[in-house]
Amino acid sequence: MVRPRVTLVVPCYDEERRLRPEAFLEALEAHPRLDLCFVDDGSRDGTRQVLEALRARASDRIRVLALEQNGGKAEAVRQGVLASIAAGDSLVGYWDADLATPFSELPAFIEVLDREPDVDVVLGSRVKLLGREVERRFHRHVYGRAFATVVSLMLGLPVYDTQCGAKVLRSTPTLRAAFEARFQSRWIFDVELLMRLVGAWQGEGLEPARKVVEVPLRVWTDVPGSKVGVRDAIRAGVELAELGRRYGAPLRAARRS
Ligand SMILES: Nc1nc2c(ncn2[C@@H]2O[C@H](COP(=O)(O)OP(=O)(O)OP(=O)(O)O)[C@@H](O)[C@H]2O)c(=O)[nH]1
Ligand SMILES: [Mg+2]
């Protein structure tokens, strides 16, 4: 049986210094089913040139989408995913440019989608287990746990980690519809995406808990140079309340029915 290829969207905003072209080329070599779609999110530095040089070295497997204006990670990922679906890719995903999640984790994601035809969404999950290298700073770990607990209650789905930058998705019509409209949240669009999907699955009479699988990562490194700070953590809380107002009531109603 021919296994579907997977295209990972890599959003890049001012990543000239953090991007490691060799790591991406090595990943293409190690994972024959992998293609990459970089989205330059209106970077002000030399990101575009770095990406073009990278594409020239593997032009059959690398696409570069250049957005003129910075629109934030949510919009960059959305544009990349829509372009990949339009190109006919049946597995799409997104992966942070800093490679905090190394590509060596990718097979675990793809295996789930190969094995479980009913599962459409695979999330990387930063569970700090003994024997694993998941190095989140303490305050981010604690904040992340609190955040995920609130999100779990809102979704009615016990998700451990919504904010990991590594996710692989099956490009079903429901998924395409979930990416159609711009996300209202700039910082926690992953949650908004899940809210849209859970709502849609409930509408189709499907059990959301059977559609999403979390893969506990073996390695996750907190790569320096993150552009997310304390203010963003506060904004994330505000955005979560806004998402609750917009998507919360229909989700609760569907759970009761
Ligand atoms: N912060 C930010 N990132 C963007 C934007 N557009 C695209 N990105 C990309 O989003 C990804 C995540 O950004 P990071 O700054 O690594 O976020 P982070 O703080 O490391 O988040 P964690 O990896 O969850 O700790 C990177 O690939 C960025 O290049 C934007 O406007 N702002
Ligand atoms: Mg990061």
Side-chain angles (χ1 to χ4, degrees):
M1 196 169 80
V2 181
R3 298 291 194 190
R5 302 186 63 73
V6 49
T7 296
L8 292 181
V9 172
V10 183
C12 302
Y13 178 53
D14 287 353
E15 293 285 3
E16 180 188 2
R17 290 156 63 96
R18 279 205 307 183
L19 268 177
R20 290 184 289 124
E22 295 307 324
F24 289 96
L25 293 169
E26 279 163 24
L28 289 178
E29 205 152 303
H31 308 286
R33 290 167 63 187
L34 175 65
D35 295 311
L36 296 167
C37 172
F38 290 93
V39 182
D40 173 21
D41 187 17
S43 299
R44 300 157 299 181
D45 65 358
T47 297
R48 178 83 179 271
Q49 287 74 5
V50 173
L51 292 179
E52 291 298 348
L54 181 54
R55 173 170 58 181
R57 296 172 67 184
S59 57
D60 52 333
R61 294 177 64 191
I62 296 180
R63 285 196 294 256
V64 176
L65 199 69
L67 306 180
E68 287 310 316
Q69 283 204 343
N70 176 244
K73 180 179 174 184
E75 185 57 11
V77 167
R78 196 179 77 84
Q79 295 288 347
V81 166
L82 285 176
S84 303
I85 294 175
D89 300 332
S90 52
L91 297 180
V92 296
Y94 49 98
W95 211 268
D96 277 355
D98 57 7
L99 301 185
T101 309
F103 280 118
S104 52
E105 298 293 312
L106 179 62
F109 290 63
I110 300 179
E111 266 162 35
V112 174
L113 291 161
D114 282 346
R115 199 179 56 227
E116 317 263 357
D118 291 338
V119 171
D120 289 341
V121 173
V122 181
L123 313 174
S125 199
R126 294 164 293 178
V127 190
K128 202 167 165 50
L129 297 170
L130 287 174
R132 304 206 171 208
E133 291 171 47
V134 175
E135 310 287 352
R136 261 203 284 185
R137 274 163 290 170
F138 181 71
H139 67 281
R140 291 199 61 165
H141 174 83
V142 172
Y143 182 80
R145 294 305 314 123
F147 185 84
T149 304
V150 176
V151 173
S152 295
L153 293 171
M154 289 168 79
L155 284 172
L157 198 66
V159 54
Y160 186 93
D161 184 8
T162 54
Q163 298 314 109
C164 175
K167 300 191 165 77
V168 183
L169 320 158
R170 203 187 300 281
S171 72
T172 61
T174 305
L175 184 89
R176 196 174 327 133
F179 275 94
E180 213 114 75
R182 265 186 100 105
F183 294 104
Q184 80 172 43
S185 63
R186 190 178 163 103
W187 303 96
I188 54 164
F189 77 100
D190 311 70
V191 176
E192 188 167 4
L193 173 64
L194 284 174
M195 286 182 169
R196 288 179 180 181
L197 287 170
V198 166
W201 289 324
Q202 285 170 338
E204 294 165 30
L206 299 170
E207 182 63 61
R210 303 177 76 92
K211 307 296 292 172
V212 191
V213 165
E214 288 188 284
V215 169
L217 301 177
R218 286 166 307 176
V219 181
W220 189 88
T221 330
D222 207 341
V223 179
S226 157
K227 300 173 204 82
V228 181
V230 174
R231 233 188 283 165
D232 303 311
I234 296 167
R235 279 196 206 123
V238 173
E239 285 194 354
L240 189 57
E242 286 166 2
L243 289 183
R245 274 199 293 279
R246 172 151 173 202
Y247 297 92
L251 289 178
R252 281 193 299 275
R255 276 207 296 281
R256 277 195 301 271
S257 65

